[in-house]
Amino acid sequence: MGSTFSLCLSYIACTSAQSLCSACFGSTAPGTTGRKRSVLLLAMTISIALLFQYLLAPKIMDPKGWLKAFQHMPGFGKQIFKAWTDGCDRYDTDTQYALKEQCIGNNGVYRPTFVASIFFLISAMATKCNPALNREAWPAKYAIYLLLVFAFMFVPNTPLFDGIYLYLHRIGAMLFVVLEQIILIDVAYNWNENWVEKSNEADRVEYYGAGTKWLRAIIAMCVLMYVLSFTGIGLLYHFYLGCAINNVIISLTLVGILAVTVIQLTGTEGSLLTSSIISLYATYLAFSAVSKNPDGACNPHLGSNDVGGIVIGLLLTFLSLAWTGWSYTAEDRLSGIESIESASPVTPKAPPKGSAGDANLDVPFLDPEDTVTTGVVVEEDMTSSSRSSSSGSELWKLNLVLALISCWIAASLTGWGTIEGAIGVDGESEHTAANPTVGKVNMIMIAVSQWFALALYGWTLLAPRLFPDRDFS
């Protein structure tokens, strides 16, 4: 009896979990893409990376209790501790304790993000050949991913993580900076169109002028983002002024923001909300660049824990994951086809309420079976299978985007691979960069990404004016 009851409970739990997973992360039936399950795997990557960086790495640095005994256990214990401290032994003095802990933490982040990057790159190649592979066998994929993460816990830091992937994830993160701009533009356009539509709907349903509140809300958000952007630039001038490279990065950011705003206001392309979001994003990138300056005279926060930068980086990551997994326009961007979800259903508007004398009694009442059909008109030959086939053929782009997001996660959590902290004891510590060359390279990479992103947005505004005969939609 007890075993039967347990079996029933297990069946109910498994069925409920499967139903909940299908509801939240989509179905695996033919015609689906599996992109929500891909996003779930990347969410697992973020969780494991944070767990390794802030929970496991400090314990490896200073093992206590059973972990101290595990450190000397032949086989698993010794190999894990040796692998995680490999390459970080150069910070083995008492005054470099923080640098060694940061080195171990960074390499802890590299393990799950490296596996995720390789996983999505292989998935991109596989789905290029057979798109159906992206929606199939996800339990096995999750199991393989977790097993690979566990296996790479025994792989030494150098040269794979602290060498090869250190440079590869920076290149991927640099490409993601440009991709993030496309995501932000898409989100801003959808946001603007949604509130404008709400304004128009309020004018139609309530009374003319009722939708003004939505237009005022758009303007208020634009003002808020521009205030935050210019305030951020003012703070950058205040705290990071003094070095030529800092001055150039901050000044070009200000010039770029003013330029794209003026271009947008003098034409019909784009929206002010989009320009304000891009301006705030450019300010964040400027801060990311100057905060990587290895010169302490130009970087007063060198060596401090950049909690704000990590939080903003993770927020951008979650925004990208939400856009990739749940935005209906993301599928259009990644597949290059019109999604049926983007069409708005057309419903006949009800006549305004009035007196009985306003009704046209010469028109007979319609039988319920003869009422006008409402909805979206589609081509008969545009079947769901053909749409899914067109969309599925471009699924490799989705996996490529997720591989870049994996690189961005590694860059956000590790400060683009920099190792900086306090050196010294008894109140005489000095904040410095242990790898200054890395800091300079990171500065240049982030700054170039920002300039390219601003130039790309400016081009989207100018191109329709310069070439009016071409379709840039």
Side-chain angles (χ1 to χ4, degrees), residues 3 55 73 78 91 98 106 119 179 333 388 410 432 449 456:
S3 59
L55 185 62
M73 182 182 298
K78 285 187 176 181
Y91 312 116
N106 286 1
F119 177 88
L179 171 67
R333 300 292 182 267
S388 63
T432 183
S449 303
L456 182 61

Side-chain angles (χ1 to χ4, degrees), residues 189-303:
Y189 277 132
N190 290 337
W191 184 1
N192 187 78
E193 291 174 4
N194 181 264
W195 281 15
V196 169
E197 180 60 30
K198 287 181 182 294
S199 173
N200 295 335
E201 186 68 21
D203 287 341
R204 289 193 301 267
V205 176
E206 300 177 26
Y207 58 88
Y208 184 77
T212 307
K213 58 180 179 291
W214 290 104
L215 301 180
R216 290 174 178 170
I218 293 176
I219 296 175
M221 293 306 302
C222 294
V223 171
L224 174 63
M225 292 187 189
Y226 273 116
V227 168
L228 291 175
S229 180
F230 289 120
T231 301
I233 290 177
L235 293 174
L236 292 179
Y237 273 123
H238 178 72
F239 289 106
Y240 294 93
L241 199 64
C243 290
I245 189 169
N246 284 10
N247 300 345
V248 169
I249 292 175
I250 300 172
S251 298
L252 285 179
T253 302
L254 178 59
V255 171
I257 289 174
L258 294 176
V260 296
T261 303
V262 170
I263 293 173
Q264 189 272 317
L265 290 175
T266 55
T268 58
E269 298 79 13
S271 67
L272 189 61
L273 182 61
T274 306
S275 298
S276 64
I277 291 177
I278 295 301
S279 299
L280 189 59
Y281 180 55
T283 305
Y284 161 71
L285 292 178
F287 165 73
S288 298
V290 297
S291 64
K292 300 297 181 291
N293 195 326
D295 188 351
C298 314
N299 186 0
H301 299 97
L302 181 65

Side-chain angles (χ1 to χ4, degrees), residues 48-58 105-106 108-109 310 413-414:
I48 296 173
L50 291 172
L51 182 70
F52 282 0
Q53 185 176 26
Y54 293 106
L55 185 62
L56 185 57
N106 286 1
V109 172
I310 293 175
L413 295 180
T414 64

